Amino acid sequence: MSAGEKSAPAPVEAAVTDAAALPALRRRITAVLIASQILGGLGVATGIALAAVLAQEVSGTEALSGLAPTATVAGTALLSVPLAALMAARGRRPGLVLAYLIGAAGAGVVVLAAAVGSFPLLLLGMAGFGAASSANLQARFAAADLAEPDRRARAISTVVWATTIGAVLGPNIAAPAGHSVSGLGIPQAAGPFLWAAGVFLVSAVVVAVLLRPDPLLTARALAPAGEDSREGRSLRAGVRAVRESPRARLALLTVTVAHTAMVSIMSMTPVALSHHGAGIELIGLVISGHIAGMYAFSPVMGRLSDRFGRLTVIGLAVGLLSCAALLAGTAGASHGRTAAGLFLLGLGWSAGLVSGSALLTDSVPGPARAAVQGLSDLTMNAAAGVGGVAAGLIVSQASYGWLNAIGAGLLLPLAALAVLRAVRPRPVPPRPMRPGD
């Protein structure tokens, strides 16, 4: 392939780099990302609502039911890096499309596994299903690609907020999705995955057709000459960028700790509630309030992060998560107190994810951002997967209260590092020499 052929795609992106056209382009890209996020969130929530139930039916034992959601988290983590590498090389659009297609294929494998009664095949399908979650996470960074630096957190939070619609609707359509396959020889608990596969395919089409021009490639086309390089886009360069930036390390720790604490405590809350006599309807209400805290208030966290700074909102996240652990861990038979704790847990997660994601984007060079963002999603989901498994062991060997205490303990190094970064001034670049100096 000649040099001219290699550079052919560049004019397609460069054609929209007129500064006057940027505001309209930002709005259109955000609208497409919101649409795909609603669809993707709907598909994930529809399927995951009955994942544990389906795993119990296929495996024949309740003891293995928790492996299905764990496999999804593992798939999200493992697929984050290759998807980020694809985005770094080719742009957001092909990476998001591939993620939704893998998610659709994974959902199809889950349906097949349910039909033939294969538990290992079910876990494989759940891991592929996790790719859709990876797409939903990466979409928040796509929103930040063209955002102005002082509005990045708001751009990220808007896309995170869009997940609310799908996350709320998904569990509510799981029942009709199950009934729809009753005459096909497929277990009803697998019906939501069949619907999810269709939703993910629609999401892939929306992104493939409408996410044009590609936001990441356009941002690179807008970058001043010399600020973008192919060498700086590799995963190795991304790791190096995080290692060399104290603020990037703080951002990575923020999203990892917030996500791990949230997943660990939230995953065992239904068990704790049931031990204190709560029925499935009450458990559903508590989890719905938690999801509302996670997503519905993310625009507030974005505005606060842009207005008062990333470090301030990271401190807010630590405070909210600490209060959540205190309330939930000491609630006992008080269901209202547990609900309040879970709502604050969602708010704390939102504050940590939005501010941490914005700080991470701010703190690394443009060429390395896609790789660093993939590394962030790998780290947070891998840690949350370990946390989810450990949470069950902690509750079974100690108590739900101890789980919350340990979750609060995870916040201590984050709080210390945030304070250290807040009191330590950012280095000022040296003033260039002038004649007469």
Side-chain angles (χ1 to χ4, degrees):
M1 181 179 289
S2 67
E5 289 174 325
K6 288 181 180 179
S7 60
V12 176
E13 307 298 338
V16 295
T17 58
D18 180 10
L22 273 178
L25 177 60
R26 291 188 186 108
R27 289 192 296 271
R28 186 160 62 81
I29 286 177
T30 299
V32 174
L33 290 172
I34 287 174
S36 67
Q37 197 77 342
I38 292 172
L39 290 168
L42 176 65
V44 170
T46 302
I48 209 67
L50 294 179
V53 174
L54 180 61
Q56 181 178 346
E57 290 182 3
V58 173
S59 66
T61 173
E62 185 178 355
L64 297 179
S65 61
L67 290 181
T70 301
T72 301
V73 173
T76 302
L78 292 174
L79 291 167
S80 295
V81 170
L83 289 172
L86 175 61
M87 292 182 197
R90 302 290 299 275
R92 299 289 185 190
R93 186 171 59 248
L96 292 175
V97 169
L98 179 61
Y100 282 126
L101 291 178
I102 294 175
V109 171
V110 169
V111 175
L112 176 62
V116 301
S118 172
F119 188 67
L121 189 61
L122 175 71
L123 296 182
L124 178 63
M126 292 301 302
F129 184 83
S133 293
S134 184
N136 284 358
L137 288 170
Q138 286 290 321
R140 76 190 192 277
F141 291 122
D145 287 334
L146 290 175
E148 296 167 306
D150 62 348
R151 297 181 67 88
R152 277 188 186 133
R154 270 173 278 190
I156 290 171
S157 66
T158 298
V159 173
V160 172
W161 169 85
T163 310
T164 310
I165 301 173
V168 171
L169 289 178
N172 291 303
I173 66 172
H179 295 318
S180 70
V181 300
S182 58
L184 302 178
I186 299 173
Q188 288 195 12
F193 289 93
L194 187 61
W195 283 33
V199 171
F200 293 154
L201 290 175
V202 174
S203 301
V205 171
V206 168
V207 172
V209 174
L210 299 179
L211 195 64
R212 297 174 181 273
D214 189 283
L216 180 58
L217 299 185
T218 302
R220 287 175 178 168
L222 285 167
E227 287 194 7
D228 185 49
S229 65
R230 292 185 181 276
E231 292 76 12
R233 301 175 192 173
S234 67
L235 292 175
R236 180 177 297 179
V239 173
R240 184 169 62 249
V242 172
R243 188 172 60 244
E244 294 174 353
S245 170
R247 289 188 168 236
R249 295 198 297 271
L250 171 61
L252 189 62
L253 182 65
T254 298
V255 296
T256 300
V257 169
H259 194 59
T260 303
M262 185 276 292
V263 169
S264 301
I265 295 173
M266 181 271 295
S267 64
M268 296 309 298
T269 299
V271 176
L273 285 169
S274 64
H275 286 168
H276 290 287
I280 190 169
E281 294 83 2
L282 179 57
I283 292 173
L285 285 174
V286 172
I287 297 302
S288 294
H290 168 69
I291 292 173
M294 288 175 63
Y295 297 118
F297 295 89
S298 57
V300 176
M301 301 304 176
R303 287 184 176 274
L304 290 175
S305 187
D306 284 337
R307 174 68 178 83
F308 298 104
R310 320 305 193 209
L311 295 180
T312 300
V313 180
I314 289 174
L316 176 62
V318 171
L320 288 169
L321 291 169
S322 299
C323 289
L326 176 63
L327 283 173
T330 59
S334 174
H335 298 151
R337 191 166 180 170
T338 302
L342 265 288
F343 177 72
L344 290 180
L345 185 70
L347 281 182
W349 176 88
S350 180
L353 184 76
V354 170
S355 60
S357 298
L359 181 62
L360 188 68
T361 304
D362 294 341
S363 304
V364 297
R369 280 176 185 161
V372 169
Q373 290 157 355
L375 175 65
S376 169
D377 286 351
L378 166 66
T379 305
M380 65 185 276
N381 282 290
V386 173
V389 173
L393 296 174
I394 292 169
V395 170
S396 64
Q397 298 299 316
S399 68
Y400 180 67
W402 272 107
L403 171 64
N404 280 272
I406 293 171
L410 293 176
L411 301 170
L412 294 177
L414 172 59
L417 188 57
V419 170
L420 180 64
R421 293 268 65 83
V423 300
R424 179 177 295 177
R426 299 183 70 174
V428 178
R431 179 173 62 87
M433 297 291 291
R434 292 179 295 184
D437 285 350

